[in-house]
Amino acid sequence: MTLILGLTLMTTLLGAPADALPRERADFRPAQVQKASVAPQDHFSVRLRCTALASGHVTDCVVLEETKPGYGFGEAALALMNDAQVTPITEQGRAVDAQFERTIDFTP
């Protein structure tokens, strides 16, 4: 399940067509597929701490908390924040480096 869910998530994030997923699991019976899928009410969230540089670039992100560890959502959240841009924090009119926390929610 983790592999299929992770590949689906990464395919969605990277914009690859859904039919690019491997078909090794094509031998599943419908009951098995239904049991392995994520329920619609499931909610996945990841809390990160990052540094916003004075230039606006985001760096040094770390996962602080995951609602469902082991499903790959922490890595996906880190990938989403990689190369992100933010409006820099200013102190006395000058942009400064500052740490911030961000929660990213994933819904299937």
Side-chain angles (χ1 to χ4, degrees):
M1 181 174 109
T2 301
L3 174 64
I4 294 169
L5 184 59
L7 288 172
T8 302
L9 176 63
M10 292 310 294
T11 300
T12 301
L13 291 174
L14 297 174
D19 60 355
L21 291 174
R23 297 291 179 208
E24 300 92 57
R25 299 295 188 178
D27 61 333
F28 276 172
R29 293 186 311 252
Q32 291 171 310
V33 172
Q34 194 172 44
K35 188 175 184 178
S37 66
V38 177
Q41 68 272 14
D42 280 351
H43 171 80
F44 302 89
S45 66
V46 179
R47 189 167 55 99
L48 303 172
R49 181 185 316 122
C50 302
T51 300
L53 300 177
S55 65
H57 289 88
V58 175
T59 186
D60 300 330
C61 292
V62 294
V63 175
L64 298 176
E65 182 181 15
E66 291 181 71
T67 55
K68 307 241 177 151
Y71 284 87
F73 289 99
E75 292 84 4
L78 291 171
L80 286 170
M81 292 303 291
N82 188 29
D83 296 326
Q85 291 276 328
V86 295
T87 301
I89 295 172
T90 57
E91 287 182 3
Q92 299 176 357
R94 293 186 50 196
V96 296
D97 295 353
Q99 285 192 338
F100 68 96
E101 290 185 10
R102 164 118 194 243
T103 300
I104 297 177
D105 295 318
F106 296 90
T107 53

